Amino acid sequence: MAHPSQLGFQDAASPIMEELLHFHDHTLMAVFLISTLVLYIITIMMTTKLTNTNSMDAQEIEMVWTIMPAIILIMIALPSLRILYLMDEVNDPHLTIKAIGHQWYWSYEYTNYEDLSFDSYMVPTNDLTPGQFRLLEVDNRMVVPMESPTRLLVTAEDVLHSWAVPSLGVKTDAIPGRLNQTSFIATRPGVFYGQCSEICGANHSFMPIVVEAVPLNDFENWSSSMLEA
């Protein structure tokens, strides 16, 4: 999860987030090179007293500064389109979970099970135990098996919400009357925090999301205990 004074992204916990981090570094390098070149040209123009009349009407220079930006845009666009298509792919998910946004909590339905659903409320500050995070901890976490493709169906009951977990590279709008779909694979065990990312009313800041990725055996034990409860 994020920590104070952090400048970069959170550590990736899914293949999609790893791709997004690589694309960010790739694009940032292009922006850095362009900014350096522009700053260099501006500095030269402001400090030198020499002018070259050939540069006032030079077809070669105009071709270069027209073609170069096009090439840079293509180098940025192609990896971006690849990641967009990867984010939309849902191939043979092992588990399907339906997340429903309410004012101001989330409810989850494990559709592969006959009767496995629960509500997830934020833990009040007064009820937090040592080690829990204020405004981020919930009473019932969404538990998923690690290294298993998980499909997430997102909708809302009242107003617009957005289900977002940065470490997993997932952000999907929850719209009343509409079912949006996304998928992710948790590559390592851990607890990943997120929040509603759509302003949804007075308590918008108080509907966190907690995803706990566990080994398959632990997930089966958890699901059995939830069904027996």
Side-chain angles (χ1 to χ4, degrees), residues 164-178:
V165 179
S167 294
L168 298 174
V170 177
K171 184 179 185 296
T172 304
D173 289 339
I175 303 172
R178 178 173 177 175

Side-chain angles (χ1 to χ4, degrees), residues 123-143:
V123 176
T125 303
N126 296 333
D127 297 336
L128 290 175
T129 59
Q132 291 185 328
F133 299 101
R134 177 178 173 270
L135 301 183
L136 287 177
E137 197 59 62
V138 297
D139 55 357
N140 292 309
R141 296 173 174 175
M142 190 185 94
V143 182

Side-chain angles (χ1 to χ4, degrees), residues 173-194:
D173 289 339
I175 303 172
R178 178 173 177 175
L179 208 59
N180 288 331
Q181 176 179 262
T182 187
S183 64
F184 62 88
I185 301 175
T187 55
R188 55 186 170 87
V191 180
F192 312 111
Y193 295 88

Side-chain angles (χ1 to χ4, degrees), residues 100-178:
I100 306 173
H102 309 268
Q103 287 182 310
W104 287 273
Y105 65 96
W106 294 94
S107 59
Y108 299 101
E109 300 176 2
Y110 287 69
T111 59
N112 299 81
Y113 296 84
E114 184 175 351
D115 188 20
L116 178 52
S117 60
F118 53 86
D119 296 330
S120 180
Y121 290 88
M122 186 192 75
V123 176
T125 303
N126 296 333
D127 297 336
L128 290 175
T129 59
Q132 291 185 328
F133 299 101
R134 177 178 173 270
L135 301 183
L136 287 177
E137 197 59 62
V138 297
D139 55 357
N140 292 309
R141 296 173 174 175
M142 190 185 94
V143 182
V144 297
M146 58 175 288
E147 297 180 343
S148 296
T150 302
R151 174 171 55 188
L152 187 69
L153 306 176
V154 184
T155 187
E157 190 180 63
D158 34 45
V159 298
L160 292 176
H161 300 279
S162 184
W163 200 91
V165 179
S167 294
L168 298 174
V170 177
K171 184 179 185 296
T172 304
D173 289 339
I175 303 172
R178 178 173 177 175

Side-chain angles (χ1 to χ4, degrees), residues 57-83:
D57 184 19
Q59 296 295 328
E60 293 81 4
I61 295 178
E62 293 182 3
M63 289 180 61
V64 168
W65 69 43
T66 301
I67 295 174
M68 283 297 293
I71 295 175
I72 293 172
L73 288 176
I74 292 174
M75 292 175 59
I76 294 175
L78 292 180
S80 175
L81 291 173
R82 172 177 170 272
I83 295 175

